[in-house]
Structure formats: structure tokens, C-alpha cells
Amino acid sequence: QVQLVESGGGSVQAGGSLRLSCAASGFTFTGYCMGWFRQAPGKPREEIATLDSDGDTSYADSVKGRFTISRDNAKNTLYLQMNSLKPEDTAAYYCAAEGGAHAGSWCMYLPTSNYWGQGTQVTVSS
């Protein structure tokens, strides 16, 4: 069973940095996509970064150039390095995973994934 646990959130000043981690377990997929979402109160959930099984990345325009998604396969951990943080980045951040028994383009299915972490709060003050 896939399990995802986020950590690394906290409170920072605008312009600061944080690195979020998502520890994954239970994967038996040969092909998968992992990604990060965020949701602020009163706002819709936003997909901010994805990483497919081939290492290709995709970013929302709102974070492009500031955030970097990566993974450590040996540690089964997904990361989100967040630099130049802005107050509008304040949200609960979630990781998600989607995949199958074979390689494929799974990132398009992330928004409807059944595999989510519990979330970690990021608060950026001005």
C-alpha cells in the first residue's frame, strides 16, 4: 500500500527558503509520477510541480524559477526546494503519487490520485 508522509514545513520570512520532503513507501510500480500540490484557505487546490519516472519536471507558472522538485530514489523521498518565498506561497502543501505496473505518462492523473500525504503547512510572512 502506498504511503506518503510530508515534512519540512514551517514559518519563514519573505525571501527565505524551505525544503519539503515526502517520504514514500509501498511502491511496486515500474512507472510512476510524483508531485506537489498546495491549497490555501478559500483557494482551489493547485498543482505546483511534477516529476515523472524519466526525470522530466513540470512547474506551475506561479513557482517556476523559484521551486525545484527532485527525488532521491535510494531514500524513496521526494523533495521540493522552495526559494525566494512570497506571502502568496502560504498554504498547506501535499505530495501525491500516481503510477502503474508499467512505464507511462502518469502525471496527467495526479489531480485524481488516491495517494496523498497528510500535508505540511508553509507560512510566509512579509
Side-chain angles (χ1 to χ4, degrees), residues 14-53:
S17 298
L18 283 173
R19 189 182 73 162
L20 306 184
S21 298
C22 173
S25 62
F27 284 93
T28 58
F29 309 124
T30 58
Y32 63 94
C33 174
M34 300 187 73
W36 290 94
F37 294 73
R38 67 186 182 187
Q39 188 165 26
K43 301 290 185 180
R45 187 181 65 190
E46 179 186 18
E47 182 182 278
I48 58 173
T50 64
L51 175 62
D52 70 15
S53 58

Side-chain angles (χ1 to χ4, degrees), residues 2-5 22-25 27 29 32-37 47 49-53 56-58 69-71 73 76-79 95-99 106-107 110 115:
V2 174
Q3 293 184 332
L4 303 170
V5 180
C22 173
S25 62
F27 284 93
F29 309 124
Y32 63 94
C33 174
M34 300 187 73
W36 290 94
F37 294 73
E47 182 182 278
T50 64
L51 175 62
D52 70 15
S53 58
D56 294 326
T57 60
S58 180
I69 187 172
S70 63
R71 66 178 179 234
N73 289 331
N76 291 322
T77 301
L78 180 75
Y79 301 100
C95 63
E98 186 65 41
W106 295 103
C107 290
L110 269 182
Y115 305 115

Side-chain angles (χ1 to χ4, degrees), residues 9-10 18 20 37-41 43-46 48 82 85-94 119-124:
L18 283 173
L20 306 184
F37 294 73
R38 67 186 182 187
Q39 188 165 26
K43 301 290 185 180
R45 187 181 65 190
E46 179 186 18
I48 58 173
M82 305 185 294
L85 284 162
K86 305 174 181 179
E88 51 262 45
D89 295 319
T90 296
Y93 284 71
Y94 302 86
T120 186
Q121 180 67 35
V122 171
T123 301
V124 184

